Amino acid sequence: MKPVIVTDPPRADLADVDALAELGVATVHEALGRTCYLGPDLRPIQQGARVGGTAVTVLCWPGDNLMIHAAVEQCRAGDIMVVTTTSPCTDGLFGELFATALAHRGVRGVVTTTGVRDVADLRAMGFPAWSAAVSAQGTVKATAGAVNVPIVIGGQVVHPGDAVLADDDGVACVPRERVGEAVTAGRARVAKEEATREAFRAGELGLDRYGLRATLAALGVEYVKARP
């Protein structure tokens, strides 16, 4: 890893990112062929938050949050900070003081594979966070990492400037060049789901709407009347 801070990377259009956030993580994930999801380990510390923003990526050394300090300077309104470490770490790299600095710059939230702390304060100030752990464990500021370089979370590559979506279902990252496609596909999925919802309200079964009776038959599933 080369210690580097990349300044002013291109970012996805915020209007499109906001449209994706409104659609939600699960919808966008499904609409893009069940891709872009960063995995079940990233959980919200709050309930009901739904945000979208452009990624400022941070690669730290385990137990060391020096590069988060460096990354704050690279953030601007509409960003989401995305943090990971060179090897697994659940220490509390991020807390209320960082959130205060980021909120001043218009940052919309943080996503981290590490731990967060000061959780009550983060909730009170309305700064949303998604993390792999909650931990009071302190850190040092001693080891060089990188800012605004590609990082990997949950098997997905997150590039600086990509669209990051986060809500109660988790976190997704849509590559910057696919954001427009994702908006179109997501809206089409919402329309399709609304039609299905209306059908279910009218009493139609998923077995019939999705053609699943043929699937059951092909799998050898039989209907057997219960004995008295």
Side-chain angles (χ1 to χ4, degrees):
M1 178 192 67
K2 180 179 179 180
V4 64
I5 298 171
V6 178
T7 63
D8 201 27
R11 288 162 163 87
D13 180 78
L14 265 182
D16 287 338
V17 175
D18 289 341
L20 288 179
E22 187 175 331
L23 294 170
V25 169
T27 294
V28 173
H29 160 69
E30 292 280 1
L32 291 179
R34 297 178 184 169
T35 61
C36 301
Y37 176 50
L38 300 190
D41 292 336
L42 299 176
R43 304 307 307 150
I45 66 163
Q46 66 287 307
Q47 292 185 328
R50 175 175 285 192
V51 300
T54 44
V56 170
T57 60
V58 189
L59 183 61
C60 293
W61 203 259
D64 191 314
N65 65 5
L66 172 64
M67 299 314 293
I68 298 180
H69 284 278
V72 172
E73 184 181 26
Q74 303 306 316
C75 290
R76 67 189 194 195
D79 285 338
I80 290 179
M81 182 177 282
V82 185
V83 182
T84 193
T85 47
T86 56
S87 60
C89 171
T90 57
D91 295 347
L93 266 67
F94 188 95
E96 176 267 332
L97 290 178
F98 274 137
T100 299
L102 291 177
H104 173 74
R105 304 179 79 87
V107 175
R108 295 176 172 181
V110 65
V111 172
T112 177
T113 62
T114 71
V116 297
R117 62 184 189 176
D118 307 326
V119 170
D121 294 322
L122 293 176
R123 290 172 179 157
M125 67 186 291
F127 191 88
W130 286 257
S131 69
V134 171
S135 173
Q137 177 64 49
T139 59
V140 300
K141 302 163 181 60
T143 314
V147 176
N148 279 332
V149 299
I151 59 176
V152 178
I153 297 178
Q156 304 289 320
V157 179
V158 181
H159 293 88
D162 282 350
V164 177
L165 321 173
D167 58 28
D168 285 345
D169 291 331
V171 184
C173 176
V174 178
R176 182 168 59 91
E177 63 274 11
R178 296 192 68 190
V179 167
E181 169 197 351
V183 171
T184 300
R187 287 172 175 166
R189 182 171 180 85
V190 167
K192 180 181 177 181
E193 289 185 344
E194 180 56 30
T196 299
R197 188 174 297 109
E198 289 301 316
F200 286 172
R201 286 171 177 159
E204 185 176 358
L205 295 174
L207 284 174
D208 298 315
R209 188 165 187 84
Y210 300 136
L212 297 178
R213 295 191 188 279
T215 301
L216 291 175
L219 292 172
V221 177
E222 298 180 0
Y223 286 82
V224 179
K225 188 173 180 62
R227 295 180 179 178

